[in-house]
Amino acid sequence: GKHNNWGQCEFDSLATAPCKQENECYKECQKPHSPDGCAELNGTWIHQPDGWGRCCPPDTHVFYDTSRGEKICSYVPEGSPNGWELRSPACCEAEQGSWKELDGRGECCLGRWMAYTYEGQTHSYCSTETWGWDNSECYESCDALRQECQTCRVEKMECCG
């Protein structure tokens, strides 16, 4: 670590290993938030009319949705039928969908089955599109590093050496 004019150890947070790792982790997680980072991750950047933009993951189909007047990140290829129009497992699979029995009736999902929990019960639903890149798991992985960095700050004399 560095020592100031009075011989005291100063904490350079980015020089310590845990803090450096935390910083790198957040930088990695922020890639989908810029056109260059999105391209690096093989995503597709959508410019929005408000000057902002968003990154569609590589496993989505990007196309202009005429009913909404904007480009979307869809799990379903453009021109596909609606899942609810496909009423049998065979028809569903023919469109690369997945069939699930829900509440005693079958449902075809051409997108992705997602789950949410409400009042202790887990429910499934079909999601056909995403707003953009969900990087919440990436940010969560940085949280452990943040804790190590904080510990290092608290015990800065040990870190400064």
Side-chain angles (χ1 to χ4, degrees):
K2 291 186 221 149
H3 292 270
N4 64 19
N5 296 342
W6 301 278
Q8 290 171 309
C9 179
E10 287 182 345
F11 185 70
D12 180 359
S13 66
L14 293 181
T16 62
C19 298
K20 203 172 188 170
Q21 285 173 304
E22 179 199 16
N23 194 37
E24 291 303 311
C25 185
Y26 281 113
K27 267 194 202 154
E28 190 64 32
C29 295
Q30 287 167 353
K31 281 185 180 175
H33 304 302
S34 73
D36 291 347
C38 181
E40 202 178 310
L41 297 168
N42 297 319
T44 304
W45 187 259
I46 294 179
H47 290 281
Q48 291 176 215
D50 59 10
W52 294 91
R54 55 196 170 116
C55 185
C56 297
D59 61 344
T60 59
H61 306 271
V62 178
F63 57 88
Y64 187 82
D65 182 343
T66 49
S67 66
R68 300 218 309 252
E70 65 178 357
K71 279 188 174 179
I72 62 166
C73 312
S74 177
Y75 295 126
V76 185
E78 187 175 11
S80 294
N82 293 305
W84 50 263
E85 294 174 308
L86 305 167
R87 298 203 174 111
S88 75
C91 292
C92 181
E93 285 165 24
E95 292 289 342
Q96 279 72 56
S98 68
W99 186 264
K100 209 177 223 185
E101 292 290 328
L102 298 172
D103 306 319
R105 60 181 182 81
E107 192 178 314
C108 179
C109 180
L110 298 179
R112 294 213 176 131
W113 287 108
M114 305 288 204
Y116 68 94
T117 304
Y118 178 72
E119 292 183 352
Q121 297 259 314
T122 300
H123 304 274
S124 293
Y125 69 97
C126 179
S127 175
T128 56
E129 68 178 87
T130 179
W131 186 84
W133 201 291
D134 176 9
N135 235 11
S136 51
E137 283 182 18
C138 185
Y139 286 110
E140 283 166 23
S141 74
C142 301
D143 288 346
L145 295 169
R146 183 192 302 140
Q147 198 53 54
E148 286 177 44
C149 178
Q150 288 300 98
T151 303
C152 199
R153 272 196 186 99
V154 171
E155 301 162 357
K156 71 180 181 189
M157 294 313 281
E158 292 168 39
C159 285
C160 286

